[in-house]
């Protein structure tokens, strides 16, 4: 139960007690409700399935039935997280209380779509020279391979293409504030995705405690 | 939903701040932490710029320290700022008084704003 679902609300800045200013992302997270508990004995792996966000919109009948069976109202998202299922019970609420100020968290989200982008923006290519008689080379990708041998362009060669709108995780963001009343998390720094986007906040897997 | 964002922002705003405008002379009381001790330092000077409103509101204050101009930008809502005292209201026609940087002495003077309220105070 190290995960919680939420929505990215936007960014602002806050003052710490010592007066320094910290840029923060405001995330409205939870409450999520446990809908299923997976155990090694029964399912072969350990995970917690949770549902998030009350909705007035119609949800599919199978989903509505699935939630009704667990005495839950209409919730929009169903997600399963591989984490310790210890103490998890169906119907139990997961709130922002699982995090404390100073904790480190990882935030997953879907990045903003950038559309079809060239190599310079998409892969950080340097582009060509601006001067010395160059034309049409400013943002060109350069060479994409050798000549007769191998006589083809290797698969996976970095080129222009669709950028963004992929799942991305930002690691080790510090929790600056937890507001249990409003189910709000303040996380230091930027978080993937647009405002109002769905994000997953989990305890940092590579870093445990704040110093 | 964005009212949550507003909540985070407004919860940090200070109340009872005086109105500060470019051209005003202000005394800024800054809390300074030295080791374990904390003291208040006063920085007095002319406001040459104010920026934004809300959490990131700031004022830039310029003073002459000897012959050397010193400018400090203060975040108005910072807990490190004890208080602002407006010493004198200035009458200026610009939002940012960068021209003061090139001037000293007589040419760097700012007219005082004459309002009935302030006149009674002074």
């Amino acid at each position: 139960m190290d995960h919680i679902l939420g929505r990215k609300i936007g960014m602002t800045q806050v003052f710490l007690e010592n007066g320094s200013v910290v840029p923060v992302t405001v995330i409205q997270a939870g409450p999520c409700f446990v809908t299923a508990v997976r155990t090694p004995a029964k399912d072969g792996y350990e995970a917690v399935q949770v549902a998030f966000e009350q909705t007035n919109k119609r949800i599919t009948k199978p989903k509505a039935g699935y939630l009704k069976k667990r005495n839950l109202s209409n919730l929009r998202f169903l997600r399963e997280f591989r984490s310790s299922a210890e103490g998890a019970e169906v119907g139990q609420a997961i709130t922002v209380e699982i995090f404390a100020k100073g904790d480190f968290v990882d935030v997953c989200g879907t990045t903003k779509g950038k559309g079809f982008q060239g190599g310079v923006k998409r892969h950080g290519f340097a582009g060509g020279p601006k001067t010395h008689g160059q034309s049409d080379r400013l943002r060109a990708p350069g060479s994409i391979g050798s000549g007769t041998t191998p006589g083809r362009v290797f698969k996976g060669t970095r080129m222009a293409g669709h950028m963004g709108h992929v799942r991305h995780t930002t690691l080790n963001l510090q929790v600056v504030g937890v507001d249990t009343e409003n189910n709000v998390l303040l996380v230091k720094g930027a978080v993937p995705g647009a405002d109002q986007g769905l994000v997953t906040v989990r305890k940092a897997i590579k870093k445990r405690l704040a110093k | 939903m964005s009212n949550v964002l507003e909540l985070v922002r407004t919860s940090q705003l200070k109340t009872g701040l005086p109105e500060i405008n470019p051209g005003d002379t202000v005394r800024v009381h800054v809390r300074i932490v030295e080791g374990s001790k904390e003291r208040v330092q006063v920085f007095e000077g002319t406001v040459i710029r104010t920026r934004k409103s809300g959490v990131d509101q700031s004022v830039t204050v310029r003073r002459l320290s000897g012959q050397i101009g010193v400018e400090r930008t203060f975040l108005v809502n910072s807990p490190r700022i004890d208080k602002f005292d407006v010493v004198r209201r200035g009458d200026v026609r610009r939002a940012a008084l960068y021209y003061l940087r090139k001037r000293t002495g007589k040419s760097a003077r700012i007219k005082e704003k004459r309002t009935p309220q302030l006149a009674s105070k002074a």
Side-chain angles (χ1 to χ4, degrees), chain A residues 17 29 56 67 70 84 97 129 142:
Chain A
E17 293 83 19
N56 295 325
L67 291 167
R70 287 155 178 80
S84 161
E97 282 168 50

Side-chain angles (χ1 to χ4, degrees), chain A residues 11-15 18, chain B residues 4 7 9 12 56 75 80:
Chain A
M11 289 193 73
T12 182
Q13 59 185 32
V14 295
F15 292 101
N18 65 7
Chain B
V4 177
L7 200 77
R9 284 184 181 144
Q12 304 190 73
D56 31 13
L75 284 165
R80 273 194 194 160

Side-chain angles (χ1 to χ4, degrees), chain A residues 19-167:
Chain A
S20 55
V21 183
V22 171
V24 292
T25 306
V26 180
I27 300 171
Q28 185 140 47
C32 295
F33 299 94
V34 178
T35 50
V37 180
R38 311 272 185 232
T39 56
K42 213 173 93 202
D43 310 283
Y45 66 100
E46 200 174 14
V48 182
Q49 191 188 61
V50 299
F52 169 62
E53 200 171 77
Q54 189 72 39
T55 177
N56 295 325
K57 287 185 181 161
R58 290 203 295 183
I59 60 172
T60 59
K61 269 193 169 175
K63 199 169 167 188
Y66 184 81
L67 291 167
K68 201 175 175 190
K69 211 169 149 189
R70 287 155 178 80
N71 286 323
L72 293 169
S73 51
N74 283 1
L75 297 163
R76 192 161 171 194
F77 302 104
L78 263 183
R79 295 285 186 276
E80 192 170 294
F81 300 116
R82 290 283 196 113
S83 70
S84 161
E86 218 180 285
E89 275 175 47
V90 171
Q92 183 188 357
I94 304 175
T95 65
V96 288
E97 282 168 50
I98 59 172
F99 302 112
K101 201 174 171 179
D103 281 359
F104 284 94
V105 293
D106 300 335
V107 182
C108 310
T110 306
T111 57
K112 282 183 184 175
K114 309 284 182 198
F116 192 99
Q117 294 296 334
V120 173
K121 188 182 178 89
R122 193 172 181 225
H123 300 294
F125 289 164
K130 282 183 185 170
T131 55
H132 294 292
Q134 305 285 332
S135 64
D136 309 341
R137 302 295 304 160
L138 191 56
R139 295 177 72 86
S143 171
I144 53 168
S146 318
T148 319
T149 321
R152 63 190 176 92
V153 174
F154 289 124
K155 277 188 177 177
T157 301
R158 293 179 298 166
M159 291 193 198
H162 188 91
M163 184 185 173
H165 200 264
V166 289
R167 185 180 158 86

Side-chain angles (χ1 to χ4, degrees), chain B residues 75-119:
Chain B
L75 284 165
V76 172
N77 289 294
S78 165
R80 273 194 194 160
I81 307 267
D82 209 24
K83 62 172 174 172
F84 282 95
D85 289 336
V86 178
V87 181
R88 182 176 179 268
R89 294 279 179 198
D91 191 1
V92 290
R93 293 182 166 207
R94 252 151 269 272
L97 312 178
Y98 297 136
Y99 67 88
L100 287 179
R101 287 172 178 167
K102 288 184 184 160
R103 299 195 187 178
T104 50
K106 264 191 180 176
S107 61
R109 282 176 305 180
I110 288 173
K111 251 190 296 178
E112 182 157 8
K113 199 175 215 167
R114 294 283 174 190
T115 53
Q117 276 178 328
L118 276 159

Side-chain angles (χ1 to χ4, degrees), chain A residues 150-187:
Chain A
R152 63 190 176 92
V153 174
F154 289 124
K155 277 188 177 177
T157 301
R158 293 179 298 166
M159 291 193 198
H162 188 91
M163 184 185 173
H165 200 264
V166 289
R167 185 180 158 86
H168 179 83
T169 307
T170 308
L171 299 171
N172 303 332
L173 298 174
Q174 195 164 21
V175 176
V176 177
V178 181
D179 183 349
T180 48
E181 211 172 290
N182 299 308
N183 296 309
V184 166
L185 273 178
L186 300 184
V187 168

